[in-house]
Each structure stands twice: as C-alpha cells, then as structure tokens.
Amino acid sequence: MEVIGVDGETEMLKAIFLPFLSHSRLISAVDMARIFAMQGVDVTIITTPANVAVFQSSIDRDSSRGYSIRTHVVKFPEVAGLPEGMESINAATPKDIVSKIFEGVALFKGQFHQILRDMQPDFIVTDMFYPWSVDTAAELGIPRVVYAGGTYMAFCATDSLEQFAPHTKVDSDSQSFFLPGLPHKLEMTRSQILNRGKESENEFSYTLKAVKESEKRSYGSVFKSFYEFDGAYQEHYKTVRGTKTWSVGPVSAWMNQYASNKDERGYAKEEQGWVTWLDSKKEDSVVYVCFGSMTKLPAAQLVEIAHGLEVCGHDFIWVVKKIEESQDDGVRVFLEEFEKRVQGSNRGYVIWGWAPQRAILEHPAIGGVVTHCGMNTVFECVDAALPMVTWPLFAEQFFNEKLLVDVLGIGVPVGSKKWSNWNEFGDEIVKREDIAKAIGLLMGDGQENLERRRKVKALSDAAKKAIQPGGSSYNSLKGLIQELKSFKLQKLNGKLEAVA
Ligand code: UDP
C-alpha cells in the first residue's frame, strides 16, 4: 500500500504488530499481520526469542514471496523468579509463572514505547490484552487497532450479562436463563459462565475492564471472523459498544491459498504418518479430536474420551497433549495401551503433543471435529466445511457453543455444563456414552446431520468468497487500510501546514 505524500514522495504504510504471548493468540495475530502484508502494508512483528521460534519460518516464507514483513525480537523483561525463556502462556505454564509473565508484560510498556519512537510506524495493531498500548499510540499520534481475538458473540453475551444480570435472578447454577437483548434467544446456565454470579472483583475482571476501556479510546478492532458467519453480532456489537470493527477472516482461508503454508507451525515433516493413515480412509469418515493449546483434561476425562472413541463406531485422530499424559503414570500406561489397540484394529491414530491441525482438517478423509470451541479451531473447521461436536471448557467457549449450535446449526453439543479456569483441571467428567453419542450424531447420515453439513458447506463457500476481491473480508480489510492511509495523509498534511 503506497502512500503518496504531499511532496509527491511515495512510501509504504508502516505497521507494527504486537501479538500476545499465549500460543493461539500469538499464531492468529501473526496470521493477521501476514494478511496485512499480503495487502501491501509494511509489517514488523514485535516478539520475544522463545515466541519467535513458533512462527519465524512462515515470515521468512512470506518475505521470500516478496511481502514486506519481518520480525523484531526483543528480550523479555527480567522478572524475579521467572526462569529465562519462560515467556509463553500455554497449558504447561505453571500458575505462579503465568502471573510473573504478566508482570513482565507490564514492564514491557517502556521498551515498546522506545521501539515505536525508533521505528515510527503509521499505526499499530496490538492484542486486546495490552490495554496500555492505546496510550503509547496516543503519545505518538498514531492509531491503535485492537486485535480482538474472540468472537462478537462472546463480547455481546458478556455485555448482556453485565447490563441485565439474568444469572443473578436464578436460584441455582443449573437453572437456565435467557441472555437479554441479543439478536437470538439464547439460553444458558450459571455454571457455564465465569464467576457464576459471584460478582467479586479479581485480577482478571480488572484486566477485562481495562481492555474494554482501552478499546473505546482505540481506532477500532479487527476480528478474525467474516460477515457471513456472525454479521448479526457484529452489527449488535457496534451498536452496543459504539466502536468501529472490521471482520477480515477467516485467516486460515487467506493462508490456505498457499499449499506450502499448511505444514507450518513446528511439526516435524518426518512425523507425518498421519497422512498415510488418512490416505487409507474413506472420504468424510474420520473424526478429529483436539482441544487446542491451553486445555488441561483430568486423567478420568482422558479415560472417558478413549472409551468413547473406541465405542463410537467411527475412525478417529486424537491429539493428546504432553501435559495430559504426564499427569499420572497410570493414565500414561492406559493411553499407550489404548494407542496400540486402536492402531492394531486400524480404528484410530494418536498424535502426541502438537498436531499440524490446519493440514489435517483439509484432508478429505476428515468428516467432523470434536472441539473445545476455541475460535481458531472453529474458523479452521468452517473453512474446511467440517461440522463440530462442541465441548466448551473455559474462557468464552460456552458462548461460542451457542453460536455454533443454536445460531448457525453446525454443532452437536457433547453436553459439558461447567465452566472452569483455563489453567486448572476441571472437575466435570463427560461420560463415554455422551461422547460416543455426540460423535455418532455428528458422523451419521441422518437428516439433521445432512442439514448440518449443508450449512457448514455454505459457510465454507462464503468464507472462501469473503477473502476474494469484492468479498466482505477483502473489502473490510481494504477499507481499513484505506482509512489508515487517509489518516497518515492527513497527519502529513497537518505537519506541513504547521511548518508553512
Ligand atoms: N493447534 C495446532 N495443533 C495442535 C493444537 C492446536 O495446530 O495440536 C492450533 C489450531 O490449529 C488453532 C490453535 O492452535 O489454530 C488453537 O486455537 P484455538 O482458538 O482453537 O484454541 P486455544 O488454543 O486458544 O484454546
């Protein structure tokens, strides 16, 4: 994107992206930065040594394709008691370390300010969890765009709870209530929401308040969604919050335009046994089971999942994280035996640790997904036209489930009812019969299942159109870049007038 200065000089619109340090927010914000670069913006991504390892190769690839994009690596601030290199938040990060990482993030403010002074970007895109960056941008007179990460639906539902407090008017955690004021009539229980009606302030609620307040003072927010997916909630959000937003996703649809992007994100090429295994399976016959990068499942739940998969009658790929296998020796032995058994019967394939999810979902043999309703996964499923068994656990996932099941009709709920903290092993155990039943409904050929497939296919087609010239996300991104370009021009003109 070239900006013609008043003196006739041309230069690119320069952006700095500051992604958050949790794995999934990091990779989705990096993908967002790459989309801006694909549209001709000069992009620098600020990150730390441990985090850059996750995505440097994809930036190198984009750079070799001719896009103006690079990383700028800075040392993570020193915090007493924080071991060197511990600068990423995921399921394996101990609780006391998480708070120390947050301390480091707060200390980073000064360093970030200096970087902006040195690099003189035209605008910044920073994760919503850096509310202070709105002040840094204001001091330099440049726009701050918020990288929202979540869904409009979840923000709208949270606003509804704050404004109408329906959860305080029921007698128990299991009694249902409606979320007032939303475009659809959506029913929830108190056990599915954060704080469960105990309105005491805590560190996280203070952070969320600061996030909301800083959004009001920002230029606007970018979402990884697309209008055809949740346009009603985008409109509602704009009305209720009175802020500007742009839906520019799904990011996976942009990235999947290059076949070579699908195998990125740190999965060793030689470990691709799953390809051969999936190649031997019929189209749409395999269910993929994965709970994202942050989930901790208790041993008893892993056992139920294993049994549920064995009795569901469908072939499967199950991604088991290190944190889960390490929690007790008994479950590790159980899972190893399970793996041998299902390999022997050719019914299942277990991936330990990190799976190349995007590539797996694109394989024709995959016919459905069991997900915790993390929105990166949801958009990847929608892009790949895969219906989902919804198994929300923490964060805004119970709201996302409402969107998938009740609004869009592309999900089958497994029946989880209890919200838990992302960094705790929840105590709700979903039973094997319920898991097998939900997978049966998802993968079967009943009328409802066909209808779900039809709906998700229509959304998938819409997603692919959205990112093409003239599509909703394409236009939205172009419109935002055009606005930022005008902002820069006005600033340049203003400076010249001041000098004259
Ligand atoms: N992911 C992956 N391999 C894994 C687990 C997750 O590639 O083994 C990717 C997945 O494709 C998605 C992201 O990590 O892009 C997870 O994000 P999501 O929002 O679904 O869940 P979160 O990790 O935030 O709970």
Side-chain angles (χ1 to χ4, degrees):
M1 172 65 49
E2 287 194 332
V3 172
I4 316 281
V6 275
D7 54 357
E9 211 177 287
T10 66
E11 56 177 270
M12 288 176 100
L13 197 58
K14 269 170 71 174
I16 283 189
F17 278 71
L18 182 62
F20 196 61
L21 306 175
S22 68
H23 206 99
S24 64
R25 292 190 82 87
L26 172 76
I27 52 188
S28 57
V30 166
D31 283 346
M32 183 69 81
R34 296 170 70 190
I35 293 172
F36 275 76
M38 284 163 86
Q39 295 307 317
V41 175
D42 176 83
V43 169
T44 303
I45 303 169
I46 311 285
T47 193
T48 64
N51 285 295
V52 79
V54 176
F55 66 89
Q56 183 66 54
S57 59
S58 47
I59 301 304
D60 293 343
R61 198 177 301 135
D62 285 358
S63 177
S64 69
R65 286 174 184 142
Y67 299 128
S68 189
I69 187 165
R70 69 205 64 78
T71 53
H72 179 85
V73 181
V74 291
K75 198 169 175 317
F76 192 74
E78 276 179 31
V79 176
L82 182 65
E84 177 134 6
M86 278 253 188
E87 42 196 51
S88 171
I89 299 175
N90 56 49
T93 316
K95 263 186 176 177
D96 55 326
I97 295 293
V98 172
S99 58
K100 291 195 186 305
I101 292 176
F102 269 96
E103 269 179 58
V105 165
L107 291 175
F108 184 60
K109 188 177 170 180
Q111 217 172 327
F112 185 59
H113 195 173
Q114 192 50 49
I115 293 171
L116 295 198
R117 282 193 169 284
D118 295 344
M119 292 193 179
Q120 295 286 320
D122 300 311
F123 69 99
I124 59 171
V125 182
T126 57
D127 193 283
M128 70 176 198
F129 285 120
Y130 300 120
W132 44 260
S133 60
V134 71
D135 299 317
T136 323
E139 280 164 38
L140 283 129
I142 55 170
R144 179 230 181 177
V145 177
V146 184
Y147 172 63
T151 43
Y152 292 110
M153 159 74 197
F155 288 115
C156 294
T158 310
D159 286 351
S160 164
L161 290 173
E162 267 174 33
Q163 191 184 346
F164 301 104
H167 55 299
T168 60
K169 296 166 194 156
V170 287
D171 297 327
S172 72
D173 284 357
S174 57
Q175 193 183 338
S176 62
F177 55 84
F178 288 102
L179 290 165
L182 297 186
H184 300 87
K185 210 169 175 211
L186 302 176
E187 204 173 356
M188 297 196 74
T189 62
R190 203 156 62 189
S191 65
Q192 296 174 316
I193 59 174
L194 167 71
N195 284 343
R196 307 215 176 108
K198 301 171 195 79
E199 303 307 332
S200 59
E201 300 280 349
N202 57 33
E203 216 175 295
F204 191 60
S205 56
Y206 284 127
T207 306
L208 289 181
K209 268 190 190 159
V211 165
K212 203 166 167 182
E213 189 273 336
S214 86
E215 189 204 349
K216 283 189 202 134
R217 296 191 292 123
S218 298
Y219 192 78
S221 305
V222 274
F223 281 75
K224 58 196 173 196
S225 186
F226 60 108
Y227 195 82
E228 294 74 5
F229 180 77
D230 57 357
Y233 286 88
Q234 182 178 2
E235 299 301 342
H236 184 80
Y237 182 93
K238 283 195 206 177
T239 311
V240 171
R241 295 223 171 170
T243 53
K244 289 194 195 185
T245 69
W246 296 266
S247 291
V248 302
V251 286
S252 54
W254 290 93
M255 295 306 145
N256 283 342
Q257 293 183 116
Y258 290 105
S260 55
N261 279 343
K262 291 183 191 172
D263 62 356
E264 59 197 26
R265 298 189 193 163
Y267 189 84
K269 287 209 166 47
E270 62 276 14
E271 287 173 37
Q272 295 189 349
W274 60 270
V275 180
T276 322
W277 190 78
L278 277 181
D279 283 349
S280 72
K281 298 291 172 185
K282 278 202 222 120
E283 198 169 311
D284 284 342
S285 67
V286 177
V287 63
Y288 171 79
V289 184
C290 182
F291 297 89
S293 63
M294 313 278 285
T295 303
K296 291 178 170 183
L297 293 173
Q301 186 62 82
L302 296 176
V303 171
E304 289 304 307
I305 294 174
H307 286 305
L309 290 173
E310 264 189 303
V311 299
C312 75
H314 296 275
D315 292 348
F316 60 87
I317 288 188
W318 181 18
V319 185
V320 183
K321 295 280 170 261
K322 293 268 178 265
I323 182 73
E324 295 165 355
E325 45 163 315
S326 66
Q327 58 179 310
D328 87 41
D329 281 348
V331 80
R332 169 191 270 276
V333 172
F334 169 85
L335 288 174
E336 281 168 3
E337 281 168 4
F338 164 81
E339 184 185 20
K340 270 190 218 138
R341 214 165 45 240
V342 297
Q343 254 177 9
S345 62
N346 202 24
R347 277 280 326 284
Y349 192 96
V350 178
I351 294 180
W352 302 94
W354 193 252
Q357 177 166 306
R358 225 184 249 168
I360 293 176
L361 296 184
E362 293 292 316
H363 195 288
I366 299 290
V369 173
V370 177
T371 173
H372 65 312
C373 304
M375 280 319 286
N376 294 315
T377 296
V378 168
F379 284 123
E380 287 158 17
C381 290
V382 167
D383 189 23
L386 295 168
M388 290 154 263
V389 163
T390 56
W391 187 329
L393 295 157
F394 59 91
E396 82 294 4
Q397 293 157 9
F398 282 93
F399 300 131
N400 297 343
E401 176 180 56
K402 292 281 137 195
L403 185 63
L404 298 175
V405 176
D406 298 340
V407 176
L408 297 170
I410 57 174
V412 182
V414 81
S416 61
K417 299 242 168 346
K418 206 162 164 189
W419 188 94
S420 59
N421 254 321
W422 69 268
N423 57 357
E424 282 167 9
F425 291 105
D427 56 8
E428 180 182 35
I429 307 296
V430 178
K431 294 269 171 288
R432 60 191 78 176
E433 310 80 76
D434 296 329
I435 300 166
K437 188 173 164 206
I439 294 176
L441 287 172
L442 181 81
M443 302 296 284
D445 49 14
Q447 196 49 41
E448 278 184 25
N449 181 41
L450 295 179
E451 186 57 9
R452 261 191 300 275
R453 282 191 190 281
R454 188 192 63 73
K455 285 180 175 163
V456 78
K457 177 74 174 70
L459 281 173
S460 170
D461 292 345
K464 287 175 181 68
K465 273 199 196 124
I467 62 149
Q468 296 303 324
S472 60
S473 293
Y474 183 92
N475 285 348
S476 182
L477 180 57
K478 284 280 190 197
L480 170 57
I481 293 173
Q482 191 57 41
E483 276 192 39
L484 293 165
K485 187 171 126 184
S486 305
F487 188 98
K488 175 176 179 170
L489 267 179
Q490 273 172 16
K491 206 173 138 191
L492 277 175
N493 289 335
K495 269 191 194 155
L496 281 184
E497 272 169 27
V499 172

